[in-house]
Each structure stands twice: as C-alpha cells, then as structure tokens.
Amino acid sequence: MLQNNPHADAWRQTHLGQLLGHALRQFDQRVRALMVQDTAVPLALSNLAERDKVSAAHLHITRHLSPQGDRLTDLADRAGMSKQAMADLIDQCEAWGLVERRPDPLDRRAKRVCYTASGLQWYQGFARATAQAEAEFTAAVGEEVATVVRIALEMYGADAGRLA
C-alpha cells in the first residue's frame, strides 16, 4: 500500500519530466541573471528582469519570436501556447516596449509582432546570455556529457509527434 511506504512515490521527484523541468527553470533563471548584468540590454528591461517581472513565459516569447517578426498565430503555435495566452503576453511585452504590432505586408487583415529597437537589444542580450549559460552547463558537466545531452534532447524532441 502506498500509505504504508513513504518512499513509494519518490519517483515523482526523480522522473525525467521533473528533472527536465527543474533544469529548464534553472537554465532560465541563469539566463535572466546574465541579462540583468548585460550593460547592452536596455536598462528598463534589465530592471524588469532584476525584479523578477520577466517570467519564463516572457523568455519563451524571446525563444520563438524571430528578429523579422511573426504573426501571433504562428508565434503561439511555435511556442505551444493558445492564441489568447500569447496575446496576453504580447500585450504585456508591448507595454514594456519590447515588441510592437505592425501591419503584415502579406495580409492586410493581419498584424505581425515585431521587436522594437529596445526589443532587438533584448533579443541580442538573450542570445549572449543563452550562449553563456550553455557554456557554463558544458563546463559543469564536461564536453562529452553536454554533447550527449544535446543530441539526446534533439532526438527526443524530434520524436515528440511520433510519441503522442
């Protein structure tokens, strides 16, 4: 019986999904900390990150929004979010001056979400911080382990549709 064995549900803390989630949170936290320290990141955006106003969801937008901009529906699909949830995040990022909505040159009815000039500085800071966090990961676990982890995650992620 589960009630008699306090260790029977220990698997919940050590299963792969839990470990991946913890690693992602730690990685994102390090990326935010590095962006706070980056003097090339606009001060207002850096201050938001420093005060923990920038969440994993905001980093998620930065991971998925291309420098040339994207339609909200495409961005939501790529990020694995609902259109409404993405619209709410875009509204917040727009209020911060990170992004703006522009007419889509291919469809007059649609809008494209694009980085502002400050947003592009944020994006570049994100790229630098991500590279630094990856280098720190490699230094912590070693080059061979880091390579195996990357290959395994790429393979697993590529198979996601097949596994569903």
PDB file of all heavy atoms in Angstrom, residues 99-121:
ATOM      1  N   VAL A  99       8.097  44.774 -27.793  1.00  0.00           N
ATOM      2  CA  VAL A  99       7.564  44.443 -29.115  1.00  0.00           C
ATOM      3  C   VAL A  99       6.511  45.466 -29.507  1.00  0.00           C
ATOM      4  O   VAL A  99       6.037  46.250 -28.682  1.00  0.00           O
ATOM      5  CB  VAL A  99       6.937  43.019 -29.151  1.00  0.00           C
ATOM      6  CG1 VAL A  99       7.961  41.951 -28.835  1.00  0.00           C
ATOM      7  CG2 VAL A  99       5.729  42.922 -28.237  1.00  0.00           C
ATOM      8  N   GLU A 100       6.150  45.415 -30.781  1.00  0.00           N
ATOM      9  CA  GLU A 100       5.042  46.228 -31.286  1.00  0.00           C
ATOM     10  C   GLU A 100       4.320  45.431 -32.357  1.00  0.00           C
ATOM     11  O   GLU A 100       4.885  44.506 -32.937  1.00  0.00           O
ATOM     12  CB  GLU A 100       5.540  47.557 -31.838  1.00  0.00           C
ATOM     13  CG  GLU A 100       6.492  47.428 -33.001  1.00  0.00           C
ATOM     14  CD  GLU A 100       7.124  48.747 -33.416  1.00  0.00           C
ATOM     15  OE1 GLU A 100       6.801  49.792 -32.818  1.00  0.00           O
ATOM     16  OE2 GLU A 100       7.949  48.731 -34.338  1.00  0.00           O
ATOM     17  N   ARG A 101       3.074  45.793 -32.570  1.00  0.00           N
ATOM     18  CA  ARG A 101       2.302  45.151 -33.634  1.00  0.00           C
ATOM     19  C   ARG A 101       2.376  46.054 -34.860  1.00  0.00           C
ATOM     20  O   ARG A 101       2.136  47.257 -34.756  1.00  0.00           O
ATOM     21  CB  ARG A 101       0.859  44.951 -33.188  1.00  0.00           C
ATOM     22  CG  ARG A 101       0.706  43.856 -32.153  1.00  0.00           C
ATOM     23  CD  ARG A 101      -0.754  43.752 -31.721  1.00  0.00           C
ATOM     24  NE  ARG A 101      -0.992  42.618 -30.868  1.00  0.00           N
ATOM     25  CZ  ARG A 101      -1.003  42.661 -29.535  1.00  0.00           C
ATOM     26  NH1 ARG A 101      -0.769  43.796 -28.901  1.00  0.00           N
ATOM     27  NH2 ARG A 101      -1.245  41.574 -28.825  1.00  0.00           N
ATOM     28  N   ARG A 102       2.692  45.428 -35.998  1.00  0.00           N
ATOM     29  CA  ARG A 102       2.789  46.156 -37.268  1.00  0.00           C
ATOM     30  C   ARG A 102       1.905  45.468 -38.293  1.00  0.00           C
ATOM     31  O   ARG A 102       1.647  44.263 -38.191  1.00  0.00           O
ATOM     32  CB  ARG A 102       4.231  46.142 -37.779  1.00  0.00           C
ATOM     33  CG  ARG A 102       5.220  46.841 -36.887  1.00  0.00           C
ATOM     34  CD  ARG A 102       6.606  46.766 -37.493  1.00  0.00           C
ATOM     35  NE  ARG A 102       7.605  47.238 -36.551  1.00  0.00           N
ATOM     36  CZ  ARG A 102       8.872  46.890 -36.590  1.00  0.00           C
ATOM     37  NH1 ARG A 102       9.317  46.058 -37.519  1.00  0.00           N
ATOM     38  NH2 ARG A 102       9.717  47.375 -35.710  1.00  0.00           N
ATOM     39  N   PRO A 103       1.472  46.196 -39.305  1.00  0.00           N
ATOM     40  CA  PRO A 103       0.699  45.539 -40.370  1.00  0.00           C
ATOM     41  C   PRO A 103       1.535  44.455 -41.040  1.00  0.00           C
ATOM     42  O   PRO A 103       2.739  44.611 -41.215  1.00  0.00           O
ATOM     43  CB  PRO A 103       0.407  46.684 -41.350  1.00  0.00           C
ATOM     44  CG  PRO A 103       0.598  47.943 -40.562  1.00  0.00           C
ATOM     45  CD  PRO A 103       1.617  47.632 -39.507  1.00  0.00           C
ATOM     46  N   ASP A 104       0.876  43.373 -41.385  1.00  0.00           N
ATOM     47  CA  ASP A 104       1.540  42.287 -42.102  1.00  0.00           C
ATOM     48  C   ASP A 104       1.533  42.632 -43.587  1.00  0.00           C
ATOM     49  O   ASP A 104       0.464  42.792 -44.177  1.00  0.00           O
ATOM     50  CB  ASP A 104       0.804  40.974 -41.854  1.00  0.00           C
ATOM     51  CG  ASP A 104       1.514  39.762 -42.419  1.00  0.00           C
ATOM     52  OD1 ASP A 104       2.285  39.918 -43.399  1.00  0.00           O
ATOM     53  OD2 ASP A 104       1.321  38.659 -41.894  1.00  0.00           O
ATOM     54  N   PRO A 105       2.710  42.750 -44.206  1.00  0.00           N
ATOM     55  CA  PRO A 105       2.734  43.129 -45.625  1.00  0.00           C
ATOM     56  C   PRO A 105       2.111  42.075 -46.545  1.00  0.00           C
ATOM     57  O   PRO A 105       1.730  42.395 -47.668  1.00  0.00           O
ATOM     58  CB  PRO A 105       4.226  43.312 -45.926  1.00  0.00           C
ATOM     59  CG  PRO A 105       4.947  42.582 -44.854  1.00  0.00           C
ATOM     60  CD  PRO A 105       4.050  42.556 -43.659  1.00  0.00           C
ATOM     61  N   LEU A 106       1.980  40.842 -46.064  1.00  0.00           N
ATOM     62  CA  LEU A 106       1.410  39.773 -46.888  1.00  0.00           C
ATOM     63  C   LEU A 106      -0.101  39.627 -46.724  1.00  0.00           C
ATOM     64  O   LEU A 106      -0.756  38.977 -47.540  1.00  0.00           O
ATOM     65  CB  LEU A 106       2.087  38.439 -46.552  1.00  0.00           C
ATOM     66  CG  LEU A 106       3.603  38.415 -46.725  1.00  0.00           C
ATOM     67  CD1 LEU A 106       4.166  37.077 -46.277  1.00  0.00           C
ATOM     68  CD2 LEU A 106       3.982  38.709 -48.169  1.00  0.00           C
ATOM     69  N   ASP A 107      -0.655  40.207 -45.651  1.00  0.00           N
ATOM     70  CA  ASP A 107      -2.084  40.077 -45.371  1.00  0.00           C
ATOM     71  C   ASP A 107      -2.534  41.336 -44.628  1.00  0.00           C
ATOM     72  O   ASP A 107      -2.223  41.509 -43.453  1.00  0.00           O
ATOM     73  CB  ASP A 107      -2.343  38.828 -44.530  1.00  0.00           C
ATOM     74  CG  ASP A 107      -3.818  38.594 -44.254  1.00  0.00           C
ATOM     75  OD1 ASP A 107      -4.661  39.485 -44.555  1.00  0.00           O
ATOM     76  OD2 ASP A 107      -4.141  37.517 -43.714  1.00  0.00           O
ATOM     77  N   ARG A 108      -3.261  42.194 -45.329  1.00  0.00           N
ATOM     78  CA  ARG A 108      -3.650  43.481 -44.735  1.00  0.00           C
ATOM     79  C   ARG A 108      -4.521  43.326 -43.500  1.00  0.00           C
ATOM     80  O   ARG A 108      -4.589  44.213 -42.657  1.00  0.00           O
ATOM     81  CB  ARG A 108      -4.371  44.324 -45.780  1.00  0.00           C
ATOM     82  CG  ARG A 108      -3.443  44.764 -46.894  1.00  0.00           C
ATOM     83  CD  ARG A 108      -4.180  45.450 -48.006  1.00  0.00           C
ATOM     84  NE  ARG A 108      -5.245  46.320 -47.543  1.00  0.00           N
ATOM     85  CZ  ARG A 108      -5.582  47.442 -48.110  1.00  0.00           C
ATOM     86  NH1 ARG A 108      -4.946  47.848 -49.170  1.00  0.00           N
ATOM     87  NH2 ARG A 108      -6.589  48.154 -47.638  1.00  0.00           N
ATOM     88  N   ARG A 109      -5.189  42.199 -43.350  1.00  0.00           N
ATOM     89  CA  ARG A 109      -6.053  41.988 -42.184  1.00  0.00           C
ATOM     90  C   ARG A 109      -5.263  41.579 -40.954  1.00  0.00           C
ATOM     91  O   ARG A 109      -5.733  41.705 -39.837  1.00  0.00           O
ATOM     92  CB  ARG A 109      -7.094  40.895 -42.489  1.00  0.00           C
ATOM     93  CG  ARG A 109      -8.023  41.246 -43.631  1.00  0.00           C
ATOM     94  CD  ARG A 109      -8.795  40.025 -44.080  1.00  0.00           C
ATOM     95  NE  ARG A 109      -7.840  39.047 -44.616  1.00  0.00           N
ATOM     96  CZ  ARG A 109      -8.072  37.767 -44.759  1.00  0.00           C
ATOM     97  NH1 ARG A 109      -9.233  37.276 -44.412  1.00  0.00           N
ATOM     98  NH2 ARG A 109      -7.169  36.956 -45.251  1.00  0.00           N
ATOM     99  N   ALA A 110      -4.060  41.069 -41.153  1.00  0.00           N
ATOM    100  CA  ALA A 110      -3.268  40.510 -40.052  1.00  0.00           C
ATOM    101  C   ALA A 110      -2.238  41.514 -39.552  1.00  0.00           C
ATOM    102  O   ALA A 110      -1.904  42.491 -40.215  1.00  0.00           O
ATOM    103  CB  ALA A 110      -2.567  39.238 -40.517  1.00  0.00           C
ATOM    104  N   LYS A 111      -1.739  41.232 -38.357  1.00  0.00           N
ATOM    105  CA  LYS A 111      -0.659  42.015 -37.750  1.00  0.00           C
ATOM    106  C   LYS A 111       0.526  41.091 -37.515  1.00  0.00           C
ATOM    107  O   LYS A 111       0.375  39.898 -37.309  1.00  0.00           O
ATOM    108  CB  LYS A 111      -1.095  42.604 -36.409  1.00  0.00           C
ATOM    109  CG  LYS A 111      -2.244  43.578 -36.486  1.00  0.00           C
ATOM    110  CD  LYS A 111      -1.750  44.914 -36.915  1.00  0.00           C
ATOM    111  CE  LYS A 111      -2.889  45.920 -36.833  1.00  0.00           C
ATOM    112  NZ  LYS A 111      -2.530  47.188 -37.378  1.00  0.00           N
ATOM    113  N   ARG A 112       1.707  41.683 -37.535  1.00  0.00           N
ATOM    114  CA  ARG A 112       2.938  40.974 -37.190  1.00  0.00           C
ATOM    115  C   ARG A 112       3.427  41.521 -35.865  1.00  0.00           C
ATOM    116  O   ARG A 112       3.387  42.711 -35.624  1.00  0.00           O
ATOM    117  CB  ARG A 112       4.016  41.184 -38.249  1.00  0.00           C
ATOM    118  CG  ARG A 112       3.690  40.496 -39.561  1.00  0.00           C
ATOM    119  CD  ARG A 112       4.804  40.625 -40.556  1.00  0.00           C
ATOM    120  NE  ARG A 112       5.939  39.761 -40.290  1.00  0.00           N
ATOM    121  CZ  ARG A 112       5.984  38.457 -40.525  1.00  0.00           C
ATOM    122  NH1 ARG A 112       4.929  37.854 -41.016  1.00  0.00           N
ATOM    123  NH2 ARG A 112       7.058  37.751 -40.282  1.00  0.00           N
ATOM    124  N   VAL A 113       3.902  40.630 -35.019  1.00  0.00           N
ATOM    125  CA  VAL A 113       4.542  41.025 -33.766  1.00  0.00           C
ATOM    126  C   VAL A 113       6.020  41.166 -34.089  1.00  0.00           C
ATOM    127  O   VAL A 113       6.641  40.220 -34.593  1.00  0.00           O
ATOM    128  CB  VAL A 113       4.325  39.966 -32.666  1.00  0.00           C
ATOM    129  CG1 VAL A 113       5.046  40.361 -31.390  1.00  0.00           C
ATOM    130  CG2 VAL A 113       2.835  39.760 -32.414  1.00  0.00           C
ATOM    131  N   CYS A 114       6.567  42.350 -33.836  1.00  0.00           N
ATOM    132  CA  CYS A 114       7.962  42.642 -34.168  1.00  0.00           C
ATOM    133  C   CYS A 114       8.661  43.254 -32.956  1.00  0.00           C
ATOM    134  O   CYS A 114       8.034  43.953 -32.152  1.00  0.00           O
ATOM    135  CB  CYS A 114       8.041  43.640 -35.323  1.00  0.00           C
ATOM    136  SG  CYS A 114       7.269  43.058 -36.845  1.00  0.00           S
ATOM    137  N   TYR A 115       9.941  42.993 -32.852  1.00  0.00           N
ATOM    138  CA  TYR A 115      10.731  43.637 -31.810  1.00  0.00           C
ATOM    139  C   TYR A 115      10.843  45.132 -32.101  1.00  0.00           C
ATOM    140  O   TYR A 115      10.969  45.537 -33.257  1.00  0.00           O
ATOM    141  CB  TYR A 115      12.148  43.054 -31.756  1.00  0.00           C
ATOM    142  CG  TYR A 115      12.242  41.674 -31.177  1.00  0.00           C
ATOM    143  CD1 TYR A 115      12.533  40.587 -31.996  1.00  0.00           C
ATOM    144  CD2 TYR A 115      12.061  41.450 -29.823  1.00  0.00           C
ATOM    145  CE1 TYR A 115      12.637  39.307 -31.458  1.00  0.00           C
ATOM    146  CE2 TYR A 115      12.158  40.178 -29.286  1.00  0.00           C
ATOM    147  CZ  TYR A 115      12.443  39.116 -30.104  1.00  0.00           C
ATOM    148  OH  TYR A 115      12.541  37.867 -29.585  1.00  0.00           O
ATOM    149  N   THR A 116      10.829  45.932 -31.056  1.00  0.00           N
ATOM    150  CA  THR A 116      11.190  47.339 -31.166  1.00  0.00           C
ATOM    151  C   THR A 116      12.715  47.409 -31.188  1.00  0.00           C
ATOM    152  O   THR A 116      13.395  46.382 -31.042  1.00  0.00           O
ATOM    153  CB  THR A 116      10.664  48.127 -29.956  1.00  0.00           C
ATOM    154  OG1 THR A 116      11.285  47.590 -28.771  1.00  0.00           O
ATOM    155  CG2 THR A 116       9.139  48.042 -29.836  1.00  0.00           C
ATOM    156  N   ALA A 117      13.279  48.618 -31.307  1.00  0.00           N
ATOM    157  CA  ALA A 117      14.737  48.764 -31.249  1.00  0.00           C
ATOM    158  C   ALA A 117      15.255  48.254 -29.901  1.00  0.00           C
ATOM    159  O   ALA A 117      16.248  47.525 -29.838  1.00  0.00           O
ATOM    160  CB  ALA A 117      15.134  50.225 -31.471  1.00  0.00           C
ATOM    161  N   SER A 118      14.557  48.593 -28.815  1.00  0.00           N
ATOM    162  CA  SER A 118      14.948  48.074 -27.487  1.00  0.00           C
ATOM    163  C   SER A 118      14.760  46.574 -27.416  1.00  0.00           C
ATOM    164  O   SER A 118      15.553  45.855 -26.805  1.00  0.00           O
ATOM    165  CB  SER A 118      14.120  48.737 -26.380  1.00  0.00           C
ATOM    166  OG  SER A 118      14.457  50.092 -26.254  1.00  0.00           O
ATOM    167  N   GLY A 119      13.701  46.094 -28.048  1.00  0.00           N
ATOM    168  CA  GLY A 119      13.446  44.658 -28.077  1.00  0.00           C
ATOM    169  C   GLY A 119      14.539  43.891 -28.794  1.00  0.00           C
ATOM    170  O   GLY A 119      14.908  42.786 -28.381  1.00  0.00           O
ATOM    171  N   LEU A 120      15.069  44.467 -29.870  1.00  0.00           N
ATOM    172  CA  LEU A 120      16.176  43.808 -30.574  1.00  0.00           C
ATOM    173  C   LEU A 120      17.425  43.759 -29.696  1.00  0.00           C
ATOM    174  O   LEU A 120      18.168  42.772 -29.727  1.00  0.00           O
ATOM    175  CB  LEU A 120      16.472  44.508 -31.899  1.00  0.00           C
ATOM    176  CG  LEU A 120      15.489  44.193 -33.025  1.00  0.00           C
ATOM    177  CD1 LEU A 120      15.762  45.081 -34.232  1.00  0.00           C
ATOM    178  CD2 LEU A 120      15.547  42.718 -33.411  1.00  0.00           C
ATOM    179  N   GLN A 121      17.646  44.792 -28.891  1.00  0.00           N
ATOM    180  CA  GLN A 121      18.766  44.762 -27.943  1.00  0.00           C
ATOM    181  C   GLN A 121      18.532  43.664 -26.901  1.00  0.00           C
ATOM    182  O   GLN A 121      19.460  42.971 -26.493  1.00  0.00           O
ATOM    183  CB  GLN A 121      18.942  46.118 -27.271  1.00  0.00           C
ATOM    184  CG  GLN A 121      19.455  47.185 -28.204  1.00  0.00           C
ATOM    185  CD  GLN A 121      19.492  48.544 -27.540  1.00  0.00           C
ATOM    186  OE1 GLN A 121      18.571  48.934 -26.825  1.00  0.00           O
ATOM    187  NE2 GLN A 121      20.577  49.271 -27.768  1.00  0.00           N
TER     188      GLN A 121
END
